[in-house]
Amino acid sequence: MIEASCHCGAVRLEIETAPETVTSCNCSICRRTGVLCAYYSPKNVHLVPAEGATDIYMWGDKSIEFHRCKICGCATHWAPVDKTLDRMGVNARLMAPEVLAAARVRRFDGADTWKYLDEA
Ligand SMILES: [Zn+2]
């Protein structure tokens, strides 16, 4: 079990495993928020408190909720609006520095080709 928390501590994420890789993406939102994204099944991530501590930003087709702490503004995670989908992203910059340092950073071209730049 590892933990991620926003700066003020109002939002915590309890996560079953440390990430082996995190993704640095250049899409319109990630390049601005500066997140490093660790992907999980929502089954393996427990948001504390479960509701009420985050504000949500959505745009475009509004299929993904981008959550940020209501108090300190840290981008905490994203989740699909369709809760049957088995994928979410946690901002790995909220994890302990040694946890993040142990993960390999992969660069994803979310702005254009929608491919990992380190793929052969
Ligand atoms: Zn906060």
Side-chain angles (χ1 to χ4, degrees):
M1 177 77 80
I2 62 160
E3 190 173 290
S5 74
C6 68
H7 189 259
C8 75
V11 181
R12 292 189 304 113
L13 298 114
E14 297 170 355
I15 305 161
E16 294 199 1
T17 54
E20 292 181 7
T21 64
V22 295
T23 294
S24 172
C25 174
N26 63 358
C27 81
S28 62
I29 183 106
C30 292
R31 73 184 173 86
R32 288 180 167 89
T33 57
V35 303
L36 288 171
C37 192
Y39 300 111
Y40 290 99
S41 163
K43 297 182 194 80
N44 296 329
V45 177
H46 305 283
L47 180 64
V48 183
E51 288 182 11
T54 59
D55 283 324
I56 291 172
Y57 174 65
M58 294 194 286
W59 83 101
D61 66 5
K62 297 191 171 158
S63 61
I64 300 176
E65 303 169 346
F66 288 84
H67 289 256
R68 64 184 182 278
C69 173
K70 277 183 180 175
I71 297 170
C72 69
C74 287
T76 55
H77 64 290
W78 61 258
V81 171
D82 178 354
K83 300 305 180 196
T84 65
L85 298 175
D86 193 40
R87 190 168 167 87
M88 67 177 290
V90 173
N91 183 4
R93 291 197 185 276
L94 274 50
M95 297 174 184
E98 61 272 21
V99 171
L100 181 54
R104 182 167 65 90
V105 178
R106 303 188 68 197
R107 292 172 58 224
F108 187 73
D109 185 18
D112 185 20
T113 61
W114 208 248
K115 285 182 177 165
Y116 278 97
L117 299 171
D118 52 0
E119 277 173 1

